[in-house]
Amino acid sequence: MNAALANQQIAVVGGGTMGVGIVYVSAMAGAHVTVVEPDDTRAVGLRETISKTAAAAITRGKLDAAGAAALENRITRIADVDALPEGLDLVIETVPERLELKLDILARIARRAPKLIGSNTSAMSIDRLAQALPNPGIFLGMHFFNPVWSIHLVELVEGAKTLPETLEAARAYVTAIGKQSLTVRDVPGFATSRLDLIASLEAMRMLESGVASAEDIDRAAVVAYRHPVGPLRLSDIVGIDVRLDIARTLEAAHGPRFAPPQILIDMVAAGKLGAKSGQGFFTWPN
């Protein structure tokens, strides 16, 4: 537990893959976390993931049983963003990468008057999203990486109206959850998404044209370049549909080098969305 977060009141809007990770690391650091997740089934899954991850932390000596129980007790789930308490220290939006959805959620978050608002977008313009807010100075991008509990980086995206004290508060939060931050300008794809996506799209094109199998393409990245996971397996983890959304966003901003290959389009159309659907470039058992 980090003393800097022990009395902090934080909310995470969205209980999907990224949301559950942000909830976990925030509660692990001592914050009291409210998670907004309207879907009951997904909310149950979030609790199960938190419990399993805490159990793994006990096995690794990172937590004891009392600490795991306390961590879970610091997490509260609600179903509606409009029911968030007012005046929270930080609210992080982590809903799907759809502009109108994010604009709506951010506007509703702003009505709860938090001190700081972050968006876990991986590609969308922070300045465009800030248009939903009456006070864009308290807003910035906070781009986490999957799995959140394992990857020690948060990319902070500074909008044109982001105040210096907002950026400093976000850096302090990132440090308190045991991660490093880097700061980038509000350019589509920022730094990390552009690097990650271009490698993933090229791996898909290689697979599509028969250069090698998915297993061997990924093995090249892991063995030759010491990546912790290959680009195709990572795409499955991130979500094939998420990859397609980001590719289309960056293609519009930066041109055809980010155009999605046909294999990506076809997989989304077929419902092969990666780990969450059980089938992507690889098969994922329950």
Side-chain angles (χ1 to χ4, degrees):
M1 182 183 296
N2 189 298
L5 284 189
N7 295 311
Q8 292 279 298
Q9 298 287 334
I10 291 173
V12 177
V13 181
T17 301
M18 299 304 296
V20 66
I22 299 169
V23 169
Y24 179 84
V25 297
S26 298
M28 182 80 165
H32 295 272
V33 186
T34 300
V35 55
V36 180
E37 177 48 62
D39 185 276
D40 289 339
T41 300
R42 180 168 286 182
V44 170
L46 181 143
R47 281 289 183 184
E48 291 175 348
T49 299
I50 294 289
S51 295
K52 289 177 182 177
T53 307
I58 293 172
T59 301
R60 297 195 309 273
K62 300 282 188 179
L63 275 177
D64 57 21
L71 180 154
E72 294 192 50
N73 287 335
R74 287 193 291 271
I75 300 169
T76 302
R77 177 253 177 162
I78 62 175
D80 190 342
V81 66
D82 296 325
L84 280 172
E86 293 189 357
L88 292 170
D89 294 293
L90 168 64
V91 180
I92 301 173
E93 166 274 307
T94 179
V95 300
E97 295 281 89
R98 296 195 291 271
L99 178 61
E100 294 306 319
L101 174 61
K102 284 188 180 286
L103 291 173
D104 174 63
I105 292 296
L106 288 169
R108 292 164 66 188
I109 289 170
R111 290 198 288 270
R112 310 312 296 162
K115 297 173 184 175
L116 180 66
I117 303 174
S119 174
N120 181 48
T121 181
S122 55
M124 289 186 177
S125 166
I126 295 305
D127 289 336
R128 177 67 183 91
L129 294 177
Q131 293 176 13
L133 306 176
N135 182 7
I138 65 168
F139 178 63
L140 79 167
M142 300 181 72
H143 179 204
F144 291 78
F145 299 85
N146 186 33
V148 175
W149 37 71
S150 298
I151 300 184
H152 300 290
L153 180 69
V154 180
E155 185 177 38
L156 301 178
V157 187
E158 187 176 12
K161 296 183 179 180
T162 302
L163 294 172
E165 51 266 39
T166 295
L167 191 58
E168 286 307 310
R171 286 175 178 152
Y173 162 77
V174 171
T175 299
I177 61 172
K179 300 188 184 298
Q180 298 183 38
S181 64
L182 61 87
T183 304
V184 298
R185 291 191 303 112
D186 182 27
V187 176
F190 318 133
T192 54
S193 289
R194 289 171 68 175
L195 290 168
D196 173 43
L197 185 66
I198 205 73
S200 296
L201 295 181
E202 187 59 25
M204 293 175 200
R205 295 186 184 103
M206 291 166 64
L207 180 64
E208 190 174 51
S209 61
V211 170
S213 67
E215 291 82 358
D216 282 347
I217 291 169
D218 271 15
R219 189 176 296 117
V222 171
V223 177
Y225 300 111
R226 298 187 179 180
H227 291 190
V229 63
L232 297 175
R233 189 171 296 276
L234 181 59
S235 294
D236 276 2
I237 295 169
V238 169
I240 303 302
D241 51 339
V242 175
R243 284 286 197 223
L244 180 58
D245 286 343
I246 296 171
R248 285 175 168 157
T249 297
L250 296 190
E251 180 188 19
H254 299 301
R257 69 184 184 276
F258 288 103
Q262 192 62 44
I263 189 174
L264 177 58
I265 296 169
D266 292 345
M267 287 176 69
V268 171
K272 297 179 179 180
L273 306 182
K276 60 188 171 186
S277 71
Q279 183 64 51
F281 294 106
F282 299 90
T283 297
W284 297 82
N286 293 334

